[in-house]
């Protein structure tokens, strides 16, 4: 029991550190990618290839002046960014980061919590993810912030539906809600994306909308809403909002890699005949390669597509994504019945 | 047991936040306290080994219904603290109605054997596999009928909310 708790604590802290580190460096990668797409260099002053840029940004955010509007609801104003950060970090608990490690003949899974409803847990976290933005936007007592918050919540509620409907097709194929089972069924090169390409595309579009990323970044659309829900925020509270967006991006890339790209599985993994520990390590790096690629897709789309209009966004969500997802479920059901 | 302390913590949290729903001055605070109550109750479901129910509770109540509540309250802008004194007859009616409900509840619990027959921490019925089997095998017709009821309500809401065709 003691070693169990110790092991889980260490694992959870490691995952927390890795998420924060990845989020920190995705800000740099995002700016480098933006530079690449716009044919310029991107940040390169702080350290070699601008490697210390995230540190410089972080220090800058910490030392900026704290500002709180005096009509704001004090408690909720502080609760908003904290809640956003907390909820962004919660999801990583259910993701299997690798196969089991074997130390002294005992198996240690690289997953904090193997709950048998893993997918639903992730949806629960996604569905409460909107609270941080709504509370922050309302508590600022600013019209632009409120408009941003309302946009964010209606957008997230609309796309959540299509997202969960897309996953149902995957669950029907796997017959399990546990993320571990879903990953194990995609052993080798047997990835879900080959069987469920439509579900993957719907999920990807919805993930952009859920993370408030371009082309769906209407909640913080600066040409209409000044800064959106974080207009009144400054210093590290603003930093938390911006940072949580990158954590969300990392986690949704991880969820997509787990559900559709086989998680830690890679082709020809049975031919290697390595020890379980080596396999777990390789699996972990394979998963990270997939996450990095999907993260790059997020940035690629952001710097390629223009922003949607709000009515277009709603029409796409309700009249294209949800019917497509339902059609996908029906077709999957028919195919499973015939087989 | 460790679970006992969690039980007491969750119960106190649920009762406190439920009381705060009634006592907070600002409507937004009431809505947020209600959300907190739902989370505490979801925690109770986990303690009873009903993970599926807990997660669905969070998704449906905290994730969808309460967000819509928050949405409406924000748009209505009820922030101004206007406490209009209610007339005496309304107060009397409310007290009588609430008191009657309380008597009914006390009556139910007096006649009910609260002693738990099975160990709630070991029961397996709340796991998704067993629950699905019960719902789709033993109670298929009521389950489908209730889903039709929901669909009807949804269609009705859309019809009511629709503007007149010109």
């Amino acid at each position: 029991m003691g070693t169990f708790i110790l092991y889980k604590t260490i694992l959870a802290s490691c995952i927390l550190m890795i998420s924060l580190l990845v989020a920190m460096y995705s800000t740099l990668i995002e700016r480098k990618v933006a530079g690449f797409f716009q044919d310029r260099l991107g940040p390169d002053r702080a350290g070699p290839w601008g490697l210390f840029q995230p540190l410089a940004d972080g220090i800058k955010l910490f030392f900026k002046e704290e500002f709180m509007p005096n009509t704001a609801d004090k408690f909720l104003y502080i609760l908003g960014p904290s809640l956003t950060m907390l909820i962004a970090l919660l999801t990583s608990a259910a993701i299997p980061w690798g196969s089991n490690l074997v130390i002294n003949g005992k198996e240690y899974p690289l997953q904090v919590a193997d709950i048998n409803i893993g997918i639903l847990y992730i949806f629960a976290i996604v569905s409460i993810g909107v609270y941080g933005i709504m509370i922050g936007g309302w508590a600022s007592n600013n019209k632009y912030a409120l408009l941003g918050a309302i946009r964010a919540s209606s957008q997230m509620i609309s796309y959540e539906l299509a997202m969960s409907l897309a996953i149902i097709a995957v669950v029907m194929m796997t017959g399990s809600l546990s993320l571990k089972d879903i990953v194990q069924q995609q052993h080798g090169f047997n990835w879900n994306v080959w069987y469920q390409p439509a579900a993957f595309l719907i999920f990807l579009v919805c993930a952009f909308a859920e993370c408030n990323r371009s082309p769906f970044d209407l909640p913080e659309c600066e040409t209409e809403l000044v800064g959106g829900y974080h207009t009144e925020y400054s210093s590290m509270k603003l930093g938390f909002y911006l940072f949580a967006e990158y954590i969300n991006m990392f986690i949704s890339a991880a969820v997509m890699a787990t559900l559709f790209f086989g998680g830690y599985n890679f082709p020809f993994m049975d031919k290697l005949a390595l020890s379980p520990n080596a396999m777990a390590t390789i699996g972990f790096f394979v998963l990270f390669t997939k996450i990095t690629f999907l993260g790059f897709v997020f940035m690629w789309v952001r710097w390629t597509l223009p922003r949607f209009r709000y009515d277009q966004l709603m029409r796409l969500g309700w009249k294209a994504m949800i019917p497509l997802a339902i059609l996908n479920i029906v077709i999957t059901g028919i195919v499973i019945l015939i087989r | 047991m460790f679970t006992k302390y969690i039980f007491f913590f969750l119960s106190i949290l649920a009762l406190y936040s439920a009381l705060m729903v009634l006592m907070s001055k600002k409507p937004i605070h009431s809505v947020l306290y209600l959300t907190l109550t739902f989370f505490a109750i979801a925690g109770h479901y986990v303690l009873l080994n009903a993970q599926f129910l807990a997660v669905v509770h969070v998704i449906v109540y905290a994730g969808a219904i309460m967000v819509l509540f928050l949405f409406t309250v924000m748009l209505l802008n009820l922030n101004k603290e206007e406490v209009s004194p209610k007339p005496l007859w309304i107060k009397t009616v409310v007290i009588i109605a609430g008191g009657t409900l309380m008597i009914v509840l006390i009556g139910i619990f007096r006649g009910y054997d609260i002693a738990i027959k099975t160990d709630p921490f070991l029961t397996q019925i709340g796991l998704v596999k067993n629950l699905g089997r019960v719902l789709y095998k033993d109670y298929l017709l009521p389950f489908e009928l209730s889903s039709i009821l929901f669909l009807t309500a949804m269609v009705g809401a859309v019809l009511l909310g629709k503007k007149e065709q010109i």
Side-chain angles (χ1 to χ4, degrees):
Chain A
M1 192 67 190
T3 47
F4 176 77
I5 291 176
L6 185 71
Y7 170 69
K8 290 289 179 193
T9 317
I10 292 172
L11 188 67
S13 338
C14 283
I15 290 172
L16 199 69
M17 286 300 138
I18 290 174
S19 321
L20 290 175
L21 198 74
V22 168
M24 199 168 131
Y25 271 92
S26 356
T27 59
L28 175 67
I29 297 170
E30 167 111 42
R31 292 164 74 177
K32 281 280 182 193
V33 169
F36 170 68
F37 279 105
Q38 295 167 352
D39 204 13
R40 51 187 175 84
L41 283 175
D44 66 344
R45 295 292 104 179
W49 306 290
L51 274 181
F52 299 133
Q53 188 68 38
L55 285 176
D57 288 344
I59 292 168
K60 187 194 95 175
L61 278 171
F62 268 113
F63 285 102
K64 283 270 177 176
E65 186 196 348
E66 284 272 13
F67 171 76
M68 193 189 278
N70 59 3
T71 47
D73 188 316
K74 299 267 173 331
F75 178 67
L76 293 183
Y77 184 80
I78 296 168
L79 185 71
S82 335
L83 210 60
T84 313
M85 197 68 174
L86 173 77
I87 293 169
L89 287 169
L90 271 176
T91 328
S92 54
I95 295 170
W97 296 97
S99 45
N100 293 349
L101 284 177
V102 180
I103 301 165
N104 290 337
K106 268 177 92 176
E107 289 206 338
Y108 292 95
L110 281 178
Q111 183 184 19
V112 179
D114 177 25
I115 29 183
N116 58 9
I117 42 158
I119 285 194
L120 291 177
Y121 169 79
I122 286 178
F123 278 123
I125 305 292
V126 168
S127 70
I128 59 174
V130 68
Y131 275 103
I133 292 175
M134 276 189 99
I135 291 172
W138 182 81
S140 312
N141 213 343
N142 172 313
K143 278 178 186 146
Y144 291 116
L146 182 64
L147 276 176
I150 284 168
R151 277 188 178 186
S153 47
S154 54
Q155 171 180 334
M156 284 167 99
I157 292 174
S158 311
Y159 278 80
E160 223 173 79
L161 291 173
M163 200 178 199
S164 10
L165 287 174
I167 290 305
I168 286 178
V170 175
V171 173
M172 278 163 78
M173 278 181 53
T174 314
S176 170
L177 290 169
S178 153
L179 285 173
K180 196 172 195 173
D181 291 353
I182 292 175
V183 170
Q184 275 167 358
Q185 290 213 353
Q186 305 178 60
H187 190 81
F189 208 42
N190 201 16
W191 298 350
N192 274 336
V193 70
W194 313 132
Y195 303 104
Q196 291 288 349
F200 169 65
L201 280 179
I202 296 167
F203 194 94
L204 185 72
V205 173
C206 295
F208 292 147
E210 289 291 325
C211 295
N212 293 327
R213 291 279 300 183
S214 191
F216 306 118
D217 58 347
L218 288 140
E220 42 195 294
C221 163
E222 59 281 328
T223 43
E224 297 164 18
L225 291 179
V226 192
Y229 58 88
H230 50 59
T231 303
E232 293 286 0
Y233 281 90
S234 62
S235 182
M236 204 52 206
K237 294 202 202 73
L238 174 69
F240 263 33
Y241 271 127
L242 302 181
F243 210 58
E245 183 186 317
Y246 284 95
I247 296 175
N248 276 330
M249 209 169 95
F250 167 62
I251 298 293
S252 47
V255 171
M256 266 189 275
T258 309
L259 289 176
F260 294 102
F261 290 92
Y264 49 79
N265 292 307
F266 51 94
F268 313 114
M269 58 195 290
D270 298 325
K271 303 239 168 87
L272 284 175
L274 289 169
S275 70
N277 286 348
M279 284 302 277
T281 320
I282 295 175
F284 181 75
F285 284 108
V286 165
L287 178 61
F288 256 81
T289 317
K290 290 169 185 169
I291 292 173
T292 316
F293 175 72
L294 287 166
F296 173 71
V297 171
F298 269 78
M299 293 167 189
W300 188 1
V301 168
R302 172 167 178 185
W303 296 104
T304 311
L305 293 180
R307 184 181 290 135
F308 274 55
R309 223 170 48 218
Y310 200 72
D311 59 318
Q312 291 172 331
L313 171 89
M314 283 294 145
R315 207 185 313 138
L316 181 73
W318 288 96
K319 294 192 174 166
M321 287 300 153
I322 292 178
L324 261 181
I326 292 175
L327 191 69
N328 190 34
I329 290 175
V330 172
I331 293 173
T332 312
I334 293 172
V335 171
I336 288 175
L337 266 184
I338 290 171
R339 240 191 347 196
Chain B
M1 272 296 277
F2 190 53
T3 45
K4 203 164 92 183
Y5 296 110
I6 300 178
F7 174 79
F8 282 120
F9 171 72
L10 287 173
S11 308
I12 291 167
L13 185 69
L15 289 176
Y16 169 75
S17 44
L19 277 177
M20 285 311 282
V21 174
L22 299 175
M23 298 202 295
S24 354
K25 288 266 169 63
K26 287 183 182 170
I28 291 266
H29 288 191
S30 293
V31 173
L32 291 174
Y33 274 118
L34 190 55
T35 320
L36 194 61
T37 317
F38 284 139
F39 276 107
I41 290 172
H44 276 301
Y45 288 145
V46 173
L47 277 187
L48 294 169
N49 215 2
Q51 304 155 350
F52 180 73
L53 194 58
V55 166
V56 167
H57 188 79
V58 169
I59 294 178
V60 173
Y61 282 94
I65 295 179
M66 291 321 291
V67 171
L68 290 178
F69 260 58
L70 206 58
F71 208 80
T72 324
V73 173
M74 278 178 183
L75 284 177
L76 286 178
N77 200 13
L78 294 168
N79 207 6
K80 287 161 228 138
E81 290 174 22
E82 40 185 46
V83 185
S84 53
K86 300 270 189 306
L88 187 66
W89 67 272
I90 290 190
K91 281 184 189 165
T92 325
V93 168
V94 165
I95 288 171
I96 292 172
T100 322
L101 181 66
M102 199 176 128
I103 290 170
V104 169
L105 283 179
I106 291 172
I108 290 171
F109 283 113
R110 271 192 50 178
Y112 191 75
D113 187 14
I114 298 185
I116 296 158
K117 300 286 192 301
T118 52
D119 190 353
F121 303 119
L122 296 178
T123 173
Q124 299 288 311
I125 187 69
L127 299 184
V128 61
K129 209 166 233 168
N130 305 328
L131 197 67
R133 215 159 265 155
V134 170
L135 276 183
Y136 284 100
K137 229 175 193 173
D138 305 348
Y139 298 101
L140 183 63
L141 188 66
F143 186 74
E144 294 295 334
L145 281 181
S146 58
S147 72
I148 289 173
L149 188 69
F150 274 119
L151 191 66
T152 322
M154 224 157 80
V155 172
V158 170
L159 263 182
L160 285 178
K162 212 171 148 192
K163 287 186 193 117
E164 287 287 324
Q165 294 257 324
I166 305 158

